[in-house]
Amino acid sequence: MGTSGSKSIDGVGAVSGVGAAAAGLGGAGGEGGEGGAAEAWHGGAQLYVSLKMENAEISGDLVPHVYGSEPIIGTWDPSRALAMERELASMWELSFVVPPDHETLDFKFLLKPKDAETPCIIEEGPTRLLTGGMLEGDVRVALFKLNGDDEVLEFRVFNKADLVSPLELAASWRVYKENFQPSKVRGIPDISINVAPTNATEEGSAATLELDLEHYVVPSPPTAPPNGYAANLAATPASMIQTGASWTNDILLSDGIQSPSSVSAKLEDRSNNKKNIEAWATDSSKNSGLIESKSVGTFTPLQKLDGQKGLFVDRGVGSPMLPKSASACSLASGFSFGSAKTMPEAAGAVAAAAVADRLHGSKEDRKLAIVLVGLPARGKTFTAVKLTRYLRWLGHETRHFNVGKYRRLKHGANQPADFFRDDNPEGIEARNEVAALAMEDMIDWMNGGGQVGIFDATNSTRKRRYMLMKMAEGNCKIIFLETICNDPNIIERNIRLKIQQSPDYADQPDYEAGLEDFKERLINYEKVYEPVGEGSYIKMIDMVKGQDGQLQVNNISGYLPGRIVFFLVNSHLTPRPILLTRHGESLHNVRGRVGGDTVLSETGELYAKKLANFIEKRLKYEKTATIWTSTLQRTILTASPIVGFPKIQWRALDEINSGVCDGMTYEEIKKNMPEEFESRKKDKLRYRYPRGESYLDVIQRLEPVIIELERQRAPVVVISHQAVLRALYAYFADRPLREVPDIEMPLHTIIEIQMGVLGVEEKRYKLMD
């Protein structure tokens, strides 16, 4: 071989691991031997060759090596043999690059003890021959004789060759040099704390924030979390705006997807429903199919009785299947669900459960209604808003229906306390009517593609709840969610917030008069209140503060109800800030490259110091705050100047895995992988990088992070990456999933999310340009 071939090997072949990226980039590679590789050679392409040996029983004292002719090693001296890299516990690999028309190469494997004084063990049999990137003859086994001839050690041998272009090869080598260099943060444990500054910030240095932090506040974008009275964020009462209107899924339609007319159901005749309301309420004792079980506190299904359904596993329908690239996941060809809206807009466990439920679940069980129950000022609407946001973020089509909003549109906002008396038949009929209208709208929306409806009202009597269950028969599964609060201080605080924010008292200039009226209304509800004991239910008892509370469940089973219970048990109203920020500028940011694990640039290092200064000022009195980073060194280095707080590394916070595109620029992807580039451009949410992840994959792995953020009662600083922070921010801001890939997440900016009784508020600080 010539000198140039030998240099290629010296540059790449001596390092295991380069080929993983190179092989993935080269789509023309094959395993068919000399002819196929040579015929595919064009444009200066090279063969990436991988040799692997596998043996599960070898001891750690023997390391597989290779020696032989150029360009593999260039010497038959065993002392200069090239070590194979350990890929797995029982697998070793050596990779190198040769021209597709290379001359036949000869070599052998040997086992080299770590003890230099012990002789090498050379494999038995003839010299191995490599032609066209592939081994000749019977090459599947390598035999070594140990201790003379007494013991024979057997290895399985694997060989693969892929054709790669010079550009792809250069890109993979560059990724190796930049990403696999010795880490500057290696050895730092997953949980650590700096007790004192390692490099104190000099007075007046560029990293010092001398002004008040308000100086760095910048306007929040339009994607900020919505503000205002929570009930106003609920669904618009379609039945009261346009008679006979049909629901369609506005999230899907906004993506440009037409909703099939066949799935839109017209509302039932209002007059007939009105006549039936009293019949449903008064005839509740005849509902023999309803099981009142006192088996509280179990997650296992109850024994089936007559008229009761078995295991409830809910997922339902969601967004239609869009055309995907070859890299995107797809269902096996033979599965047809007979509708365009057959899968939720999700991935991972959510999608897997959706397929299972579609195949095995009944039509009724594929729709879920969470019906709130509780006295006024007990946090029902706040709980409904949080649960709606969580389920939407996971990919479930979810909508919040607030009966109070219907009542205000139908009968006006200024109803006195007497309207809510139990001896006021006109008031009872009017309240049952708007509840039925809201329930009909929710069912009609479900028929148009919705999956989970959150029905927000007091629903404080069994008659009302039986009415709703009767309406739900054959349409959806109902789970009651009862909120109970016994803390007078919290109730008083909620009442005052209600007077200040509720449209019911917007025209009441006298605050004390409004307060007196609402307390009288509350007394009217307390007189007739009946706790939930029927059907499937969840009881949240004194869960507002997240301490000393109880969560009781009855007849709850299935993936989605289980996720709901897990979310609720970790939710509370303790006010605390969550600070989101990207790592400081990295070398890949400067070069415009995707992914990688590079260190910070000089600008990034300056931001890390400014961030530490900011955290010191902002969390000066928050001694229980924590710092969360990914496991990539650019986030760990950004957090390193921060002192006095525990630092926790989460692999779930790592940047989106760009697979074979890791280390490339978007221009390089467009030039060398045009189909992938176009697929990503068409659908960034669902697009999955070859051997990498999609945004939906990222959302699925971030669910434990969201649950833990909800559970935390102290401030948390999250230092992560653009795609990850887009997904986290979308949860708090309640943004549709389709917007996640395009949410602005600038460098050197801190987004403060304030969580508490008023919902979610946002504030942004820009420390550097």
Side-chain angles (χ1 to χ4, degrees):
M1 295 297 295
T3 305
S4 60
S6 179
K7 288 184 178 179
S8 295
I9 293 154
D10 292 340
V12 179
V15 183
S16 172
V18 181
L25 292 169
E31 302 181 13
E34 178 181 359
E39 290 174 6
W41 179 36
H42 60 86
Q46 299 284 300
L47 275 178
Y48 166 78
V49 181
S50 172
L51 297 175
K52 295 185 180 183
M53 293 178 64
E54 181 183 38
N55 183 293
E57 299 178 357
I58 186 173
S59 69
D61 294 333
L62 294 175
V63 179
H65 285 61
V66 175
Y67 74 132
S69 65
E70 291 184 352
I72 299 180
I73 304 301
T75 177
W76 283 98
D77 182 358
S79 65
R80 297 173 61 189
L82 184 63
M84 301 181 75
E85 294 288 334
R86 194 161 199 159
E87 187 178 61
L88 299 171
S90 60
M91 182 81 73
W92 286 260
E93 182 194 30
L94 176 71
S95 57
F96 52 91
V97 175
V98 293
D101 60 346
H102 68 84
E103 65 184 43
T104 299
L105 310 175
D106 51 342
F107 68 94
K108 271 195 169 187
F109 295 112
L110 62 85
L111 300 179
K112 202 169 184 179
K114 291 184 177 179
D115 181 3
E117 297 180 358
T118 306
C120 300
I121 306 170
I122 300 174
E123 73 165 310
E124 299 295 315
T127 301
R128 294 180 177 271
L129 301 178
L130 188 82
T131 305
M134 304 302 295
L135 290 173
E136 295 182 357
D138 186 6
V139 297
R140 291 172 293 181
V141 175
L143 299 177
F144 298 85
K145 290 186 177 181
L146 308 180
N147 303 321
D149 296 334
D150 297 337
E151 182 182 354
V152 176
L153 193 60
E154 181 179 303
F155 281 80
R156 296 177 61 195
V157 177
F158 303 90
N159 170 218
K160 183 179 180 181
D162 285 288
L163 195 69
V164 294
S165 71
L167 178 59
E168 293 164 342
L169 183 62
S172 66
W173 176 240
R174 180 182 59 250
V175 171
Y176 172 80
K177 294 294 288 183
E178 293 179 352
N179 295 348
F180 292 88
Q181 58 185 322
S183 171
K184 292 192 175 183
V185 299
R186 188 121 333 139
I188 293 180
D190 289 343
I191 301 176
S192 60
I193 182 170
N194 293 356
V195 295
T198 54
N199 294 309
T201 304
E202 297 180 4
E203 283 295 322
S205 71
T208 303
L209 303 179
E210 295 185 355
L211 299 174
D212 187 89
L213 295 184
E214 294 298 315
H215 174 78
Y216 299 94
V217 173
V218 295
S220 297
T223 57
N227 294 320
Y229 188 54
N232 291 337
L233 305 177
T236 301
S239 59
M240 300 178 60
I241 295 177
Q242 180 179 353
T243 304
S246 297
W247 282 100
T248 54
N249 193 313
D250 59 353
I251 294 180
L252 299 178
L253 292 178
S254 63
D255 282 331
I257 304 164
Q258 296 299 318
S259 176
S261 59
S262 60
V263 299
S264 297
K266 293 184 178 180
L267 295 176
E268 297 180 17
D269 184 78
R270 302 298 177 186
S271 60
N272 290 338
N273 287 332
K274 186 175 180 180
K275 293 176 183 178
N276 291 331
I277 289 174
E278 282 193 19
W280 291 337
T282 58
D283 200 31
S284 60
S285 61
K286 298 180 181 180
N287 288 286
S288 58
L290 298 171
I291 308 301
E292 288 198 36
S293 171
K294 301 305 178 183
S295 176
V296 177
T298 175
F299 288 87
T300 58
L302 300 178
Q303 184 178 2
K304 286 205 297 182
L305 303 176
D306 293 340
Q308 184 184 17
K309 294 189 179 295
L311 287 174
F312 170 51
V313 185
D314 177 74
R315 193 49 74 282
V317 299
S319 62
M321 297 290 289
L322 294 179
K324 299 180 180 180
S325 72
S327 303
C329 63
S330 62
L331 292 173
S333 59
F335 283 88
S336 176
F337 297 130
S339 170
K341 297 179 179 179
T342 58
M343 290 287 290
E345 193 170 30
V350 174
V355 174
D357 293 345
R358 193 74 185 179
L359 293 174
H360 304 295
S362 67
K363 179 181 178 182
E364 176 182 341
D365 283 356
R366 290 199 296 267
K367 312 287 184 177
L368 179 62
I370 304 296
V371 177
L372 275 295
V373 178
L375 292 168
R378 262 55 174 188
K380 296 185 302 298
T381 298
F382 178 83
T383 301
V385 169
K386 288 192 70 172
L387 188 56
T388 300
R389 185 176 73 235
Y390 171 70
L391 294 175
R392 282 176 178 169
W393 183 79
L394 282 182
H396 303 286
E397 302 299 339
T398 306
R399 181 161 288 175
H400 175 200
F401 294 83
N402 181 270
V403 175
K405 194 170 185 178
Y406 281 73
R407 170 178 55 78
R408 285 185 283 272
L409 283 174
K410 181 74 174 178
H411 302 289
N414 299 319
Q415 295 297 331
D418 288 344
F419 181 80
F420 302 92
R421 290 168 59 102
D422 65 316
D423 57 355
N424 179 356
E426 292 82 8
I428 293 174
E429 181 181 0
R431 286 183 281 131
N432 282 336
E433 179 187 19
V434 292
L437 290 175
M439 189 69 176
E440 287 176 350
D441 277 355
M442 185 174 72
I443 293 172
D444 201 47
W445 168 76
M446 288 178 174
N447 291 333
Q451 181 190 353
V452 183
I454 311 293
F455 190 84
D456 180 12
T458 57
N459 301 313
S460 54
T461 65
R462 290 192 183 94
K463 287 184 179 181
R464 164 70 69 82
R465 297 195 290 269
Y466 282 136
M467 180 190 83
L468 299 178
M469 287 190 285
K470 184 69 175 178
M471 296 179 70
E473 285 183 1
N475 293 301
C476 62
K477 172 74 175 182
I478 280 184
I479 294 178
F480 293 111
L481 175 56
E482 185 176 15
T483 60
I484 300 172
C485 180
N486 299 308
D487 188 326
N489 294 326
I490 293 178
I491 295 174
E492 183 68 22
R493 181 195 64 188
N494 290 347
I495 290 174
R496 294 187 177 277
L497 286 174
K498 191 91 169 179
I499 304 305
Q500 295 169 359
Q501 295 187 348
S502 173
D504 286 351
Y505 298 97
D507 296 331
Q508 173 57 269
D510 188 342
Y511 173 82
E512 293 300 326
L515 184 62
E516 187 65 28
D517 179 84
F518 185 83
K519 289 184 175 181
E520 186 178 345
R521 180 197 300 190
L522 185 55
I523 292 173
N524 291 332
Y525 273 107
E526 289 174 339
K527 289 178 180 178
V528 297
Y529 185 78
E530 297 172 299
V532 172
E534 63 275 5
S536 301
Y537 62 79
I538 304 169
K539 287 178 181 278
M540 299 177 65
I541 304 174
D542 293 328
M543 292 283 291
V544 175
K545 293 187 293 185
Q547 293 176 322
D548 303 323
Q550 299 180 45
L551 189 82
Q552 298 180 358
V553 298
N554 181 68
N555 199 19
I556 301 294
S557 62
Y559 178 84
L560 185 53
R563 301 314 303 163
I564 291 173
V565 170
F566 188 60
F567 174 77
L568 293 175
V569 81
N570 286 286
S571 298
H572 57 89
L573 297 180
T574 306
R576 76 279 189 197
I578 295 173
L579 306 177
L580 308 177
T581 183
R582 289 175 67 183
H583 54 80
E585 181 187 66
S586 69
L587 295 181
H588 263 19
N589 292 140
V590 175
R591 298 160 182 157
R593 301 198 175 278
V594 177
D597 191 21
T598 56
V599 297
L600 301 179
S601 68
E602 291 185 3
T603 302
E605 291 175 351
L606 178 59
Y607 175 70
K609 296 175 183 177
K610 284 181 174 285
L611 177 63
N613 200 311
F614 175 90
I615 297 300
E616 181 184 1
K617 293 175 180 290
R618 175 64 184 84
L619 304 180
K620 184 176 182 179
Y621 302 106
E622 302 285 354
K623 301 304 181 183
T624 57
T626 54
I627 314 297
W628 296 0
T629 72
S630 73
T631 63
L632 301 176
Q633 60 178 339
R634 55 187 180 274
T635 63
I636 299 173
L637 291 172
T638 302
S640 61
I642 302 173
V643 297
F645 298 105
K647 300 171 187 175
I648 303 172
Q649 297 178 27
W650 286 65
R651 184 169 292 278
L653 291 174
D654 284 2
E655 180 61 297
I656 186 171
N657 184 353
S658 51
V660 301
C661 299
D662 194 74
M664 300 175 68
T665 67
Y666 287 113
E667 285 300 317
E668 289 172 347
I669 297 173
K670 183 177 182 180
K671 180 178 180 180
N672 296 289
M673 309 170 72
E675 292 184 1
E676 295 295 334
F677 184 85
E678 289 301 319
S679 295
R680 179 180 179 274
K681 184 177 179 181
K682 289 177 182 177
D683 190 358
K684 289 177 67 177
L685 177 68
R686 298 171 181 85
Y687 171 78
R688 178 176 290 141
Y689 285 100
R691 304 184 190 178
E693 289 182 301
S694 68
Y695 269 94
L696 291 180
D697 294 329
V698 172
I699 288 171
Q700 285 299 300
R701 68 167 154 95
L702 283 175
E703 186 190 9
V705 178
I706 288 295
I707 295 295
E708 189 59 28
L709 285 173
E710 287 285 354
R711 194 182 71 84
Q712 292 285 318
R713 294 179 180 83
V716 178
V717 180
V718 181
I719 304 174
S720 188
H721 309 268
Q722 180 169 250
V724 170
L725 292 177
R726 281 171 169 168
L728 291 178
Y729 178 81
Y731 168 77
F732 294 112
D734 195 18
R735 306 310 308 162
L737 290 184
R738 68 180 184 277
E739 295 182 7
V740 171
D742 300 310
I743 292 176
E744 182 184 2
M745 197 58 57
L747 284 169
H748 307 153
T749 301
I750 301 164
I751 302 175
E752 179 175 326
I753 302 293
Q754 187 71 42
M755 300 180 65
V757 294
L758 297 179
V760 178
E761 300 177 351
E762 173 185 329
K763 197 173 188 178
R764 295 198 175 203
Y765 303 87
K766 190 169 184 61
L767 304 189
M768 294 172 57
D769 293 327

